[in-house]
Amino acid sequence: EAEVAQSPRYKITEKSQAVAFWCDPISGHATLYWYRQILGQGPELLVQFQDESVVDDSQLPKDRFSAERLKGVDSTLKIQPAELGDSAMYLCASSKQGSEAYEQYFGPGTRLTVT
Amino acid sequence: RKEVEQDPGPFNVPEGATVAFNCTYSNSASQSFFWYRQDCRKEPKLLMSVYSSGNEDGRFTAQLNRASQYISLLIRDSKLSDSATYLCVVNGRGYQKVTFGIGTKLQVIP
């Protein structure tokens, strides 16, 4: 069964440092999502790509966060500089076009701790 | 009012019980609805889509009530393995914002 891949699985960084997360969606899935989930809360959408284009980044803190999906396949989410409040689980998900366009499949996530 | 609201629980139910969760949404133009299951410190996994006509998958039944703007999830004959957090997801039209609820925690006790 195809899966969404994410790396690293865990990351510890000091505040003010830069950190990057990588996601490889299920092959053929045109839509890719990045979420942030704080313990005890639901996932919060940070950015949504359709192929290589951003279709929603309204919740992305653009002063420190950036995301790209240059060839419309894998994607990178970057934080620079990291702040203590960025400690959370960062989840990537993908979905395909068509009638099942909104059924999302999640990767295992990257758990970020900022010290 | 939040875009998507869920009772965070926890719902503590005995094995074999029937339990139901609701999820209300504020945007009447919302198009697609889903239930996801999330185990502790794991990623969410799709449980089921919610269709206008309702749908059933084994012990799980999902319903949509557009007039009152809520979706529901019914679990019959609860198993210990059903213990998890259940997240509802609401999608707008086209590429409008995807919104998750906070999740409802279910604990099935022996």
Side-chain angles (χ1 to χ4, degrees):
Chain A
E1 183 176 302
E3 297 180 339
V4 176
Q6 286 189 252
S7 67
R9 294 290 305 277
Y10 303 91
K11 180 70 178 179
I12 300 174
T13 191
E14 294 181 348
K15 64 180 181 180
S16 81
Q17 296 298 303
V19 63
F21 314 130
W22 177 79
C23 172
D24 192 12
I26 293 171
S27 179
H29 280 198
T31 309
L32 185 147
Y33 311 79
W34 282 103
Y35 292 89
R36 175 172 58 187
Q37 186 174 26
I38 296 169
L39 199 61
Q41 299 184 20
E44 175 194 16
L45 180 68
L46 294 175
V47 61
Q48 179 180 342
F49 289 92
Q50 179 67 24
D51 299 310
E52 67 275 10
S53 300
V54 173
V55 296
D56 185 354
D57 63 355
S58 56
Q59 301 299 307
L60 187 71
K62 297 180 186 65
D63 57 335
R64 297 185 301 108
F65 286 64
S66 64
E68 61 183 15
R69 193 184 184 199
L70 292 176
K71 297 182 179 178
V73 181
D74 60 337
S75 175
T76 302
L77 178 70
K78 296 179 181 177
I79 308 175
Q80 182 174 18
E83 296 181 353
L84 294 177
D86 296 331
S87 294
M89 173 78 92
Y90 290 82
L91 294 159
C92 178
S94 68
S95 63
K96 59 184 176 182
Q97 291 178 316
S99 61
E100 299 172 322
Y102 299 120
E103 292 184 354
Q104 298 179 46
Y105 298 88
F106 283 81
T110 296
R111 187 167 298 280
L112 174 67
T113 302
V114 182
T115 63
Chain B
R1 179 182 175 187
K2 290 183 180 179
E3 293 179 61
V4 177
E5 293 197 68
Q6 291 185 257
D7 182 341
F11 284 57
N12 297 312
V13 301
E15 268 188 291
T18 295
V19 62
F21 312 130
N22 282 346
C23 169
T24 60
Y25 60 94
S26 61
N27 184 353
S28 60
S30 297
Q31 291 264 297
S32 306
F33 308 89
F34 304 89
W35 285 103
Y36 282 74
R37 170 195 170 124
Q38 186 172 30
D39 293 296
C40 188
R41 301 180 80 84
K42 298 284 190 181
E43 73 274 23
K45 291 188 184 295
L46 179 65
L47 181 64
M48 55 200 311
S49 304
V50 187
Y51 304 123
S52 296
S53 56
N55 51 314
E56 185 174 317
D57 183 3
R59 298 181 293 108
F60 298 82
T61 300
Q63 297 280 351
L64 167 62
N65 185 317
R66 285 195 180 273
S68 300
Q69 295 183 204
Y70 73 88
I71 62 173
S72 64
L73 178 68
L74 180 79
I75 305 175
R76 290 181 296 276
D77 187 23
S78 298
K79 311 291 185 191
L80 295 176
S81 57
D82 294 333
S83 298
T85 295
Y86 291 84
L87 298 156
C88 71
V89 181
V90 175
N91 284 57
R93 187 184 301 272
Y95 297 116
Q96 289 184 14
K97 188 176 175 182
V98 175
T99 306
F100 275 74
I102 192 173
T104 296
K105 186 172 183 178
L106 171 66
Q107 185 69 45
V108 181
I109 52 182

